Amino acid sequence: MGFEDELVGLLPRLRRFARTLAFATADADDLCQAAIERALKAREQWQPGTRLDSWMYRIMRNAWIDTTRATKRRGETFVGAEAGEGVGDAGDRAIEARVELGNIGRALAMLPPEQREAVALVLVEGLAYKEAAAVLEIPMGTLTSRLIRGRAALMRTLGEAA
């Protein structure tokens, strides 16, 4: 009996062994096919007179280990497409935010320095009116009027930019 004939005779046992390793029928069939392909490529390594079934089980087990390792690596390296759906965005929001930030920066630069300082301390840095007036060493009323004029100028400028 030739090598191929003995291999065909082992198929039911190989499939059964593959099912014990892979559980899922499709995976077991793939494993059995991979083991047979390896055996056919390495047939010169099999020594006639030795047990073909033991040799094939060893090949199948090694194929299973290789498949399991590859699957594990793939799982560690790649994630499913659905995992990327919530990551990042299309970029349009970030671009719009940068454009708007640029518009605000240009509008702030157009303000007179005293209004720009007041707006920056209160609206950007979040200082209370009293704290901002103390930093600028001006009365609270002066700070308030600078803020009112600065906000109005910003609204006009930003309204034109929109």
Side-chain angles (χ1 to χ4, degrees):
M1 192 177 335
F3 178 82
E4 290 87 4
D5 293 331
E6 286 189 54
L7 196 56
V8 169
L10 283 175
L11 280 178
R13 293 172 57 197
L14 293 174
R15 290 191 76 212
R16 190 170 44 245
F17 184 59
R19 283 200 183 124
T20 62
L21 295 173
F23 298 113
T25 304
D27 292 340
D29 289 344
D30 291 345
L31 177 61
C32 196
Q33 180 177 343
I36 291 169
E37 286 175 8
R38 286 184 184 189
L40 289 173
K41 287 179 184 174
R43 69 187 303 171
E44 305 83 39
Q45 295 177 11
W46 179 67
Q47 299 171 359
T50 61
R51 294 189 56 162
L52 182 60
D53 59 349
S54 298
W55 188 67
M56 285 302 302
Y57 291 147
R58 195 169 34 253
I59 290 173
M60 186 174 289
R61 183 176 177 276
N62 290 339
W64 173 245
I65 290 169
D66 293 346
T67 302
T68 304
R69 286 179 182 157
T71 303
K72 184 179 177 191
R73 274 194 306 271
R74 221 174 310 149
E76 292 170 353
T77 307
F78 301 105
V79 294
E82 66 279 354
E85 291 173 2
V87 177
D89 60 18
D92 56 339
R93 290 184 294 241
I95 291 170
E96 288 174 5
R98 276 191 230 115
V99 168
E100 190 61 31
L101 192 56
N103 290 341
I104 292 169
R106 283 187 290 282
L108 275 171
M110 292 170 56
L111 292 176
E114 64 275 356
Q115 290 177 9
R116 189 169 50 245
E117 291 172 342
V119 167
L121 288 174
V122 175
L123 300 179
V124 177
E125 298 301 323
L127 267 60
Y129 282 32
K130 187 175 183 179
E131 294 170 320
V135 168
L136 295 174
E137 298 177 337
I138 57 173
M140 186 113 72
T142 304
L143 175 73
T144 303
S145 66
R146 288 180 184 177
L147 275 172
I148 291 170
R149 288 193 311 269
R151 281 184 186 146
L154 283 174
M155 296 302 286
R156 276 192 310 275
T157 305
L158 292 173
E160 294 169 5

